[in-house]
Amino acid sequence: AEAELEVTLREAVLGSERQAMRNGFCRRSQEGMTAADEYVAGAGVAMLVLAWAGVHHWLAVAIPQFVYMASHGINFPCAMAGTVRPFPQQAGAAAGLFGFLSMAVAALVGVWIGASHDGTTVPLAATVAGAGLVSLGTVALWIRPRLRTAAEP
């Protein structure tokens, strides 16, 4: 039963990775993730600008957050596929570690936003903008150069 579960999980992960690659989202992370990261960073910065400008409307948070999360929905499966790809024999452990780290970072971010809350949306918007810019910087400065080097003969 354990071996069947492992095969099923491996097929699910590899199947979703293949589908994402086929759709062009992961495409070795270059085009799809960079475009999605630009939206992630742009949405975060837009939310921060609106918060600093004192726009007190729920759409000033909802629209940038929707764009941020939609773009994150493109990046997250690519990141998961990239996490398990180098470890096909330990895909479950790699996916588990990825999930744990994701939740640990989310918990720390939640604590940070709660501790820095000042009655405005600025702490939330600054955190979202910072995360988006870190994501964009990671792809632009770390992932894309590695992919170019790996693609060269």
Side-chain angles (χ1 to χ4, degrees), residues 87-111:
F87 310 103
Q89 299 302 326
Q90 298 92 11
L97 180 60
F98 182 83
F100 169 77
L101 291 174
S102 297
M103 294 301 108
V105 169
L108 292 173
V109 167
V111 168

Side-chain angles (χ1 to χ4, degrees), residues 4 8-9 14-15 30 32 36-37 47 59 64 97 103 107 112 116-118 132 139 146 149-150:
E4 291 171 359
T8 303
L9 290 174
L14 293 175
Q30 229 161 356
D37 278 310
M47 186 190 297
L59 289 174
L97 180 60
M103 294 301 108
W112 160 252
S116 64
H117 181 65
D118 62 359
V139 168
R146 287 176 152 218
T149 304

Side-chain angles (χ1 to χ4, degrees), residues 107-134:
L108 292 173
V109 167
V111 168
W112 160 252
I113 291 173
S116 64
H117 181 65
D118 62 359
T120 69
T121 59
V122 172
L124 169 68
T127 304
V128 170
L133 292 170
V134 165

Side-chain angles (χ1 to χ4, degrees), residues 140-151:
L141 301 175
W142 187 51
I143 294 174
R144 200 178 324 160
R146 287 176 152 218
L147 293 174
R148 271 194 221 117
T149 304

Side-chain angles (χ1 to χ4, degrees), residues 79-92:
M80 177 61 86
T83 299
V84 299
R85 174 181 275 172
F87 310 103
Q89 299 302 326
Q90 298 92 11

